[in-house]
Amino acid sequence: SRSRFLFHLGSATPASEDCPEEAYARTEKSLSFSRLRAFAVPGNRDYPNCPDPSLAWKNYTEHLVNIDKKYWTSTSKFQIKRDPERPENFAFIFRRTLFVGLNMVSNEGKSKTATRLEQNLQWASANVQPHKNNIDVIFLMGHGRLEDLPTFRDAIVAKTKGGWKNKLIIYARRAKQTKLVMNVQGAKNFHE
């Protein structure tokens, strides 16, 4: 296989469980068997929907943030950067594609969600700007649907008309069933 890494896009805990630590440990163990370096971003059922969101976030952080460093010790062919404000967010460039993992849960409360989405936008922008001449694709990924996060979506659409206009922008999300949404909000180079 030519694959180099894999992404877990959230919801380590099934909806039928109340976010026990075992669920995070089970997901960590499952990912640890991959021969590919694994990365994880949180989903709605990883902490915001849990009976004790603080404990759930602690469990998620312990088992899944930085999982890419726990089981794959060989040096990679790309430099992985972590957001100092949100260590669950990551970014790296591989073959002229900037991969950006983001905490895109959509059910954390309006104020917290707005702050987090603004931080995510700043993180993505901070990783595009210094590399804009060395990348062709910006591959954003997170759990939530863009239609549930219109402020973030609209900010990315605005960037497609500005400094990101010559880049292909893809947003990948977790979904049971999904269809490709071409030209998000009319932006010809932005797809979900």
Side-chain angles (χ1 to χ4, degrees):
S1 168
R2 295 173 48 136
S3 301
R4 300 289 186 265
F5 35 82
L6 68 89
F7 302 108
H8 183 276
L9 298 180
S11 290
T13 63
S16 60
E17 297 181 6
D18 282 335
C19 310
E21 183 173 6
E22 299 79 40
Y24 304 95
R26 188 173 53 236
T27 300
E28 176 186 1
K29 184 176 181 180
S30 177
L31 291 172
S32 76
F33 289 120
S34 171
R35 62 176 190 71
L36 305 174
R37 184 179 298 263
F39 296 85
V41 293
N44 291 348
R45 292 192 300 262
D46 288 327
Y47 70 101
N49 281 356
C50 296
D52 183 345
S54 295
L55 177 60
W57 182 247
K58 178 184 171 288
N59 290 333
Y60 181 87
T61 300
E62 179 181 329
H63 291 283
L64 295 167
V65 171
N66 290 317
I67 191 169
D68 57 288
K69 295 179 184 176
K70 287 183 180 181
Y71 300 98
W72 301 272
T73 56
S74 64
T75 56
S76 62
K77 295 181 180 178
F78 42 89
Q79 179 187 5
I80 302 160
K81 297 183 349 186
R82 290 281 173 177
D83 183 348
E85 294 290 320
R86 306 206 65 84
E88 69 272 26
N89 291 350
F90 61 86
F92 63 89
I93 297 172
F94 184 72
R95 296 188 177 166
R96 297 191 59 84
T97 299
L98 172 64
F99 292 90
V100 183
L102 301 166
N103 180 343
M104 297 290 286
V105 299
S106 58
N107 60 344
E108 196 180 13
K110 285 185 179 183
S111 176
K112 283 184 178 182
T113 297
T115 298
R116 182 175 29 74
L117 293 178
E118 180 57 36
Q119 290 170 332
N120 287 350
L121 190 59
Q122 290 171 7
W123 172 246
S125 297
N127 281 281
V128 170
Q129 186 58 32
H131 304 290
K132 64 183 175 186
N133 295 326
N134 301 320
I135 58 174
D136 301 314
V137 178
I138 302 167
F139 192 93
L140 306 170
M141 66 198 98
H143 181 83
R145 299 179 310 177
L146 290 177
E147 66 187 57
D148 296 334
L149 305 162
T151 305
F152 183 84
R153 178 202 60 210
D154 294 347
I156 298 297
V157 167
K159 288 185 175 297
T160 68
K161 297 171 183 167
W164 297 10
K165 69 181 174 186
N166 295 322
K167 310 295 179 205
L168 173 61
I169 303 158
I170 299 170
Y171 176 73
R173 64 180 173 85
R174 183 177 189 277
K176 290 179 184 173
Q177 297 177 350
T178 190
K179 66 177 190 169
L180 181 64
V181 177
M182 302 294 289
N183 307 325
V184 173
Q185 298 291 304
K188 294 190 183 326
N189 60 330
F190 184 23
H191 313 299
E192 176 183 19

PDB file of all heavy atoms in Angstrom, residues 50-75:
ATOM      1  N   CYS A  50     -20.781  13.992  26.912  1.00  0.00           N
ATOM      2  CA  CYS A  50     -20.569  13.058  28.024  1.00  0.00           C
ATOM      3  C   CYS A  50     -21.165  13.588  29.322  1.00  0.00           C
ATOM      4  O   CYS A  50     -21.277  14.803  29.506  1.00  0.00           O
ATOM      5  CB  CYS A  50     -19.073  12.813  28.209  1.00  0.00           C
ATOM      6  SG  CYS A  50     -18.327  11.998  26.777  1.00  0.00           S
ATOM      7  N   PRO A  51     -21.528  12.677  30.252  1.00  0.00           N
ATOM      8  CA  PRO A  51     -22.078  13.117  31.539  1.00  0.00           C
ATOM      9  C   PRO A  51     -21.119  14.043  32.297  1.00  0.00           C
ATOM     10  O   PRO A  51     -21.557  14.977  32.951  1.00  0.00           O
ATOM     11  CB  PRO A  51     -22.287  11.806  32.312  1.00  0.00           C
ATOM     12  CG  PRO A  51     -22.429  10.768  31.255  1.00  0.00           C
ATOM     13  CD  PRO A  51     -21.567  11.223  30.113  1.00  0.00           C
ATOM     14  N   ASP A  52     -19.813  13.784  32.210  1.00  0.00           N
ATOM     15  CA  ASP A  52     -18.797  14.635  32.839  1.00  0.00           C
ATOM     16  C   ASP A  52     -17.800  15.047  31.752  1.00  0.00           C
ATOM     17  O   ASP A  52     -16.792  14.363  31.532  1.00  0.00           O
ATOM     18  CB  ASP A  52     -18.093  13.869  33.967  1.00  0.00           C
ATOM     19  CG  ASP A  52     -17.082  14.722  34.718  1.00  0.00           C
ATOM     20  OD1 ASP A  52     -16.701  15.800  34.215  1.00  0.00           O
ATOM     21  OD2 ASP A  52     -16.663  14.298  35.813  1.00  0.00           O
ATOM     22  N   PRO A  53     -18.070  16.154  31.051  1.00  0.00           N
ATOM     23  CA  PRO A  53     -17.208  16.552  29.940  1.00  0.00           C
ATOM     24  C   PRO A  53     -15.741  16.756  30.328  1.00  0.00           C
ATOM     25  O   PRO A  53     -14.844  16.445  29.546  1.00  0.00           O
ATOM     26  CB  PRO A  53     -17.833  17.860  29.443  1.00  0.00           C
ATOM     27  CG  PRO A  53     -19.259  17.771  29.846  1.00  0.00           C
ATOM     28  CD  PRO A  53     -19.240  17.032  31.155  1.00  0.00           C
ATOM     29  N   SER A  54     -15.470  17.254  31.534  1.00  0.00           N
ATOM     30  CA  SER A  54     -14.076  17.468  31.960  1.00  0.00           C
ATOM     31  C   SER A  54     -13.329  16.145  32.090  1.00  0.00           C
ATOM     32  O   SER A  54     -12.180  16.023  31.649  1.00  0.00           O
ATOM     33  CB  SER A  54     -14.022  18.222  33.287  1.00  0.00           C
ATOM     34  OG  SER A  54     -14.543  19.514  33.118  1.00  0.00           O
ATOM     35  N   LEU A  55     -13.956  15.159  32.701  1.00  0.00           N
ATOM     36  CA  LEU A  55     -13.336  13.839  32.829  1.00  0.00           C
ATOM     37  C   LEU A  55     -13.183  13.198  31.448  1.00  0.00           C
ATOM     38  O   LEU A  55     -12.142  12.587  31.150  1.00  0.00           O
ATOM     39  CB  LEU A  55     -14.170  12.934  33.739  1.00  0.00           C
ATOM     40  CG  LEU A  55     -13.655  11.499  33.904  1.00  0.00           C
ATOM     41  CD1 LEU A  55     -12.240  11.491  34.494  1.00  0.00           C
ATOM     42  CD2 LEU A  55     -14.617  10.687  34.753  1.00  0.00           C
ATOM     43  N   ALA A  56     -14.182  13.340  30.619  1.00  0.00           N
ATOM     44  CA  ALA A  56     -14.107  12.776  29.266  1.00  0.00           C
ATOM     45  C   ALA A  56     -12.955  13.404  28.480  1.00  0.00           C
ATOM     46  O   ALA A  56     -12.217  12.701  27.788  1.00  0.00           O
ATOM     47  CB  ALA A  56     -15.432  12.981  28.541  1.00  0.00           C
ATOM     48  N   TRP A  57     -12.785  14.728  28.604  1.00  0.00           N
ATOM     49  CA  TRP A  57     -11.688  15.390  27.900  1.00  0.00           C
ATOM     50  C   TRP A  57     -10.340  14.891  28.431  1.00  0.00           C
ATOM     51  O   TRP A  57      -9.411  14.673  27.659  1.00  0.00           O
ATOM     52  CB  TRP A  57     -11.795  16.910  28.017  1.00  0.00           C
ATOM     53  CG  TRP A  57     -10.704  17.589  27.260  1.00  0.00           C
ATOM     54  CD1 TRP A  57      -9.673  18.326  27.776  1.00  0.00           C
ATOM     55  CD2 TRP A  57     -10.497  17.564  25.850  1.00  0.00           C
ATOM     56  NE1 TRP A  57      -8.849  18.758  26.769  1.00  0.00           N
ATOM     57  CE2 TRP A  57      -9.339  18.308  25.568  1.00  0.00           C
ATOM     58  CE3 TRP A  57     -11.190  16.987  24.790  1.00  0.00           C
ATOM     59  CZ2 TRP A  57      -8.847  18.485  24.289  1.00  0.00           C
ATOM     60  CZ3 TRP A  57     -10.700  17.159  23.501  1.00  0.00           C
ATOM     61  CH2 TRP A  57      -9.543  17.901  23.262  1.00  0.00           C
ATOM     62  N   LYS A  58     -10.243  14.699  29.737  1.00  0.00           N
ATOM     63  CA  LYS A  58      -9.011  14.152  30.334  1.00  0.00           C
ATOM     64  C   LYS A  58      -8.720  12.771  29.736  1.00  0.00           C
ATOM     65  O   LYS A  58      -7.588  12.477  29.333  1.00  0.00           O
ATOM     66  CB  LYS A  58      -9.152  14.054  31.848  1.00  0.00           C
ATOM     67  CG  LYS A  58      -7.962  13.454  32.562  1.00  0.00           C
ATOM     68  CD  LYS A  58      -8.249  13.310  34.067  1.00  0.00           C
ATOM     69  CE  LYS A  58      -7.190  12.518  34.764  1.00  0.00           C
ATOM     70  NZ  LYS A  58      -7.210  11.092  34.461  1.00  0.00           N
ATOM     71  N   ASN A  59      -9.736  11.922  29.647  1.00  0.00           N
ATOM     72  CA  ASN A  59      -9.556  10.573  29.087  1.00  0.00           C
ATOM     73  C   ASN A  59      -9.188  10.639  27.607  1.00  0.00           C
ATOM     74  O   ASN A  59      -8.313   9.909  27.146  1.00  0.00           O
ATOM     75  CB  ASN A  59     -10.821   9.738  29.277  1.00  0.00           C
ATOM     76  CG  ASN A  59     -11.050   9.380  30.731  1.00  0.00           C
ATOM     77  OD1 ASN A  59     -10.114   9.296  31.517  1.00  0.00           O
ATOM     78  ND2 ASN A  59     -12.291   9.186  31.103  1.00  0.00           N
ATOM     79  N   TYR A  60      -9.860  11.509  26.867  1.00  0.00           N
ATOM     80  CA  TYR A  60      -9.542  11.648  25.443  1.00  0.00           C
ATOM     81  C   TYR A  60      -8.088  12.095  25.272  1.00  0.00           C
ATOM     82  O   TYR A  60      -7.335  11.537  24.477  1.00  0.00           O
ATOM     83  CB  TYR A  60     -10.488  12.646  24.757  1.00  0.00           C
ATOM     84  CG  TYR A  60     -10.164  12.768  23.292  1.00  0.00           C
ATOM     85  CD1 TYR A  60     -10.727  11.890  22.376  1.00  0.00           C
ATOM     86  CD2 TYR A  60      -9.234  13.705  22.825  1.00  0.00           C
ATOM     87  CE1 TYR A  60     -10.393  11.945  21.032  1.00  0.00           C
ATOM     88  CE2 TYR A  60      -8.894  13.765  21.489  1.00  0.00           C
ATOM     89  CZ  TYR A  60      -9.472  12.888  20.600  1.00  0.00           C
ATOM     90  OH  TYR A  60      -9.122  12.934  19.273  1.00  0.00           O
ATOM     91  N   THR A  61      -7.704  13.108  26.034  1.00  0.00           N
ATOM     92  CA  THR A  61      -6.343  13.644  25.948  1.00  0.00           C
ATOM     93  C   THR A  61      -5.304  12.577  26.279  1.00  0.00           C
ATOM     94  O   THR A  61      -4.305  12.425  25.565  1.00  0.00           O
ATOM     95  CB  THR A  61      -6.192  14.855  26.894  1.00  0.00           C
ATOM     96  OG1 THR A  61      -7.134  15.859  26.501  1.00  0.00           O
ATOM     97  CG2 THR A  61      -4.800  15.434  26.837  1.00  0.00           C
ATOM     98  N   GLU A  62      -5.549  11.829  27.339  1.00  0.00           N
ATOM     99  CA  GLU A  62      -4.598  10.788  27.761  1.00  0.00           C
ATOM    100  C   GLU A  62      -4.425   9.702  26.695  1.00  0.00           C
ATOM    101  O   GLU A  62      -3.319   9.242  26.436  1.00  0.00           O
ATOM    102  CB  GLU A  62      -5.067  10.153  29.071  1.00  0.00           C
ATOM    103  CG  GLU A  62      -4.148   9.054  29.567  1.00  0.00           C
ATOM    104  CD  GLU A  62      -4.650   8.430  30.852  1.00  0.00           C
ATOM    105  OE1 GLU A  62      -5.298   9.123  31.663  1.00  0.00           O
ATOM    106  OE2 GLU A  62      -4.399   7.227  31.045  1.00  0.00           O
ATOM    107  N   HIS A  63      -5.506   9.308  26.068  1.00  0.00           N
ATOM    108  CA  HIS A  63      -5.448   8.164  25.160  1.00  0.00           C
ATOM    109  C   HIS A  63      -5.265   8.514  23.678  1.00  0.00           C
ATOM    110  O   HIS A  63      -4.708   7.709  22.933  1.00  0.00           O
ATOM    111  CB  HIS A  63      -6.704   7.299  25.324  1.00  0.00           C
ATOM    112  CG  HIS A  63      -6.754   6.601  26.639  1.00  0.00           C
ATOM    113  ND1 HIS A  63      -5.997   5.476  26.910  1.00  0.00           N
ATOM    114  CD2 HIS A  63      -7.433   6.884  27.773  1.00  0.00           C
ATOM    115  CE1 HIS A  63      -6.223   5.095  28.154  1.00  0.00           C
ATOM    116  NE2 HIS A  63      -7.088   5.929  28.698  1.00  0.00           N
ATOM    117  N   LEU A  64      -5.722   9.705  23.249  1.00  0.00           N
ATOM    118  CA  LEU A  64      -5.745   9.936  21.804  1.00  0.00           C
ATOM    119  C   LEU A  64      -5.006  11.176  21.302  1.00  0.00           C
ATOM    120  O   LEU A  64      -4.571  11.192  20.161  1.00  0.00           O
ATOM    121  CB  LEU A  64      -7.192   9.935  21.311  1.00  0.00           C
ATOM    122  CG  LEU A  64      -7.860   8.564  21.474  1.00  0.00           C
ATOM    123  CD1 LEU A  64      -9.356   8.658  21.276  1.00  0.00           C
ATOM    124  CD2 LEU A  64      -7.255   7.564  20.513  1.00  0.00           C
ATOM    125  N   VAL A  65      -4.876  12.205  22.119  1.00  0.00           N
ATOM    126  CA  VAL A  65      -4.063  13.344  21.673  1.00  0.00           C
ATOM    127  C   VAL A  65      -2.616  12.870  21.637  1.00  0.00           C
ATOM    128  O   VAL A  65      -2.151  12.205  22.549  1.00  0.00           O
ATOM    129  CB  VAL A  65      -4.239  14.559  22.604  1.00  0.00           C
ATOM    130  CG1 VAL A  65      -3.227  15.657  22.277  1.00  0.00           C
ATOM    131  CG2 VAL A  65      -5.662  15.118  22.494  1.00  0.00           C
ATOM    132  N   ASN A  66      -1.927  13.163  20.598  1.00  0.00           N
ATOM    133  CA  ASN A  66      -0.526  12.744  20.395  1.00  0.00           C
ATOM    134  C   ASN A  66      -0.362  11.238  20.195  1.00  0.00           C
ATOM    135  O   ASN A  66       0.735  10.712  20.381  1.00  0.00           O
ATOM    136  CB  ASN A  66       0.375  13.210  21.553  1.00  0.00           C
ATOM    137  CG  ASN A  66       0.572  14.696  21.549  1.00  0.00           C
ATOM    138  OD1 ASN A  66       0.787  15.304  20.505  1.00  0.00           O
ATOM    139  ND2 ASN A  66       0.481  15.294  22.718  1.00  0.00           N
ATOM    140  N   ILE A  67      -1.417  10.544  19.817  1.00  0.00           N
ATOM    141  CA  ILE A  67      -1.276   9.102  19.578  1.00  0.00           C
ATOM    142  C   ILE A  67      -0.235   8.835  18.496  1.00  0.00           C
ATOM    143  O   ILE A  67       0.443   7.807  18.513  1.00  0.00           O
ATOM    144  CB  ILE A  67      -2.629   8.437  19.229  1.00  0.00           C
ATOM    145  CG1 ILE A  67      -2.461   6.908  19.269  1.00  0.00           C
ATOM    146  CG2 ILE A  67      -3.178   8.946  17.909  1.00  0.00           C
ATOM    147  CD1 ILE A  67      -3.750   6.136  19.200  1.00  0.00           C
ATOM    148  N   ASP A  68      -0.068   9.782  17.584  1.00  0.00           N
ATOM    149  CA  ASP A  68       0.911   9.609  16.506  1.00  0.00           C
ATOM    150  C   ASP A  68       2.334   9.482  17.031  1.00  0.00           C
ATOM    151  O   ASP A  68       3.207   8.964  16.326  1.00  0.00           O
ATOM    152  CB  ASP A  68       0.827  10.777  15.518  1.00  0.00           C
ATOM    153  CG  ASP A  68       1.032  12.126  16.191  1.00  0.00           C
ATOM    154  OD1 ASP A  68       0.112  12.566  16.917  1.00  0.00           O
ATOM    155  OD2 ASP A  68       2.085  12.725  16.007  1.00  0.00           O
ATOM    156  N   LYS A  69       2.593   9.906  18.272  1.00  0.00           N
ATOM    157  CA  LYS A  69       3.939   9.797  18.860  1.00  0.00           C
ATOM    158  C   LYS A  69       4.098   8.561  19.739  1.00  0.00           C
ATOM    159  O   LYS A  69       5.206   8.170  20.058  1.00  0.00           O
ATOM    160  CB  LYS A  69       4.247  11.031  19.702  1.00  0.00           C
ATOM    161  CG  LYS A  69       4.336  12.298  18.906  1.00  0.00           C
ATOM    162  CD  LYS A  69       4.611  13.466  19.821  1.00  0.00           C
ATOM    163  CE  LYS A  69       4.616  14.763  19.059  1.00  0.00           C
ATOM    164  NZ  LYS A  69       4.786  15.905  19.965  1.00  0.00           N
ATOM    165  N   LYS A  70       2.992   7.959  20.160  1.00  0.00           N
ATOM    166  CA  LYS A  70       3.048   6.850  21.122  1.00  0.00           C
ATOM    167  C   LYS A  70       3.518   5.532  20.522  1.00  0.00           C
ATOM    168  O   LYS A  70       4.245   4.785  21.171  1.00  0.00           O
ATOM    169  CB  LYS A  70       1.668   6.621  21.752  1.00  0.00           C
ATOM    170  CG  LYS A  70       1.248   7.661  22.735  1.00  0.00           C
ATOM    171  CD  LYS A  70      -0.096   7.258  23.332  1.00  0.00           C
ATOM    172  CE  LYS A  70      -0.586   8.245  24.331  1.00  0.00           C
ATOM    173  NZ  LYS A  70      -1.865   7.833  24.927  1.00  0.00           N
ATOM    174  N   TYR A  71       3.077   5.219  19.334  1.00  0.00           N
ATOM    175  CA  TYR A  71       3.295   3.880  18.784  1.00  0.00           C
ATOM    176  C   TYR A  71       4.159   3.856  17.529  1.00  0.00           C
ATOM    177  O   TYR A  71       4.522   2.796  17.065  1.00  0.00           O
ATOM    178  CB  TYR A  71       1.951   3.210  18.481  1.00  0.00           C
ATOM    179  CG  TYR A  71       1.112   3.064  19.724  1.00  0.00           C
ATOM    180  CD1 TYR A  71       0.118   3.981  20.034  1.00  0.00           C
ATOM    181  CD2 TYR A  71       1.363   2.035  20.625  1.00  0.00           C
ATOM    182  CE1 TYR A  71      -0.631   3.859  21.194  1.00  0.00           C
ATOM    183  CE2 TYR A  71       0.629   1.908  21.787  1.00  0.00           C
ATOM    184  CZ  TYR A  71      -0.365   2.820  22.064  1.00  0.00           C
ATOM    185  OH  TYR A  71      -1.095   2.709  23.213  1.00  0.00           O
ATOM    186  N   TRP A  72       4.447   5.003  17.004  1.00  0.00           N
ATOM    187  CA  TRP A  72       5.244   5.079  15.779  1.00  0.00           C
ATOM    188  C   TRP A  72       6.453   5.957  16.073  1.00  0.00           C
ATOM    189  O   TRP A  72       6.377   7.178  16.020  1.00  0.00           O
ATOM    190  CB  TRP A  72       4.394   5.641  14.630  1.00  0.00           C
ATOM    191  CG  TRP A  72       3.210   4.773  14.392  1.00  0.00           C
ATOM    192  CD1 TRP A  72       3.159   3.681  13.580  1.00  0.00           C
ATOM    193  CD2 TRP A  72       1.926   4.877  14.995  1.00  0.00           C
ATOM    194  NE1 TRP A  72       1.917   3.111  13.640  1.00  0.00           N
ATOM    195  CE2 TRP A  72       1.131   3.826  14.505  1.00  0.00           C
ATOM    196  CE3 TRP A  72       1.346   5.759  15.913  1.00  0.00           C
ATOM    197  CZ2 TRP A  72      -0.184   3.627  14.886  1.00  0.00           C
ATOM    198  CZ3 TRP A  72       0.037   5.562  16.297  1.00  0.00           C
ATOM    199  CH2 TRP A  72      -0.717   4.509  15.787  1.00  0.00           C
ATOM    200  N   THR A  73       7.540   5.321  16.416  1.00  0.00           N
ATOM    201  CA  THR A  73       8.710   6.062  16.874  1.00  0.00           C
ATOM    202  C   THR A  73       9.670   6.432  15.759  1.00  0.00           C
ATOM    203  O   THR A  73      10.524   7.276  15.944  1.00  0.00           O
ATOM    204  CB  THR A  73       9.477   5.256  17.943  1.00  0.00           C
ATOM    205  OG1 THR A  73       9.806   3.983  17.391  1.00  0.00           O
ATOM    206  CG2 THR A  73       8.650   5.107  19.200  1.00  0.00           C
ATOM    207  N   SER A  74       9.546   5.781  14.620  1.00  0.00           N
ATOM    208  CA  SER A  74      10.452   6.118  13.534  1.00  0.00           C
ATOM    209  C   SER A  74      10.199   7.562  13.095  1.00  0.00           C
ATOM    210  O   SER A  74       9.084   8.061  13.167  1.00  0.00           O
ATOM    211  CB  SER A  74      10.259   5.172  12.344  1.00  0.00           C
ATOM    212  OG  SER A  74       8.970   5.344  11.809  1.00  0.00           O
ATOM    213  N   THR A  75      11.246   8.206  12.683  1.00  0.00           N
ATOM    214  CA  THR A  75      11.069   9.574  12.212  1.00  0.00           C
ATOM    215  C   THR A  75      10.254   9.552  10.931  1.00  0.00           C
ATOM    216  O   THR A  75      10.418   8.675  10.090  1.00  0.00           O
ATOM    217  CB  THR A  75      12.423  10.264  11.968  1.00  0.00           C
ATOM    218  OG1 THR A  75      13.166   9.471  11.044  1.00  0.00           O
ATOM    219  CG2 THR A  75      13.196  10.421  13.252  1.00  0.00           C
TER     220      THR A  75
END
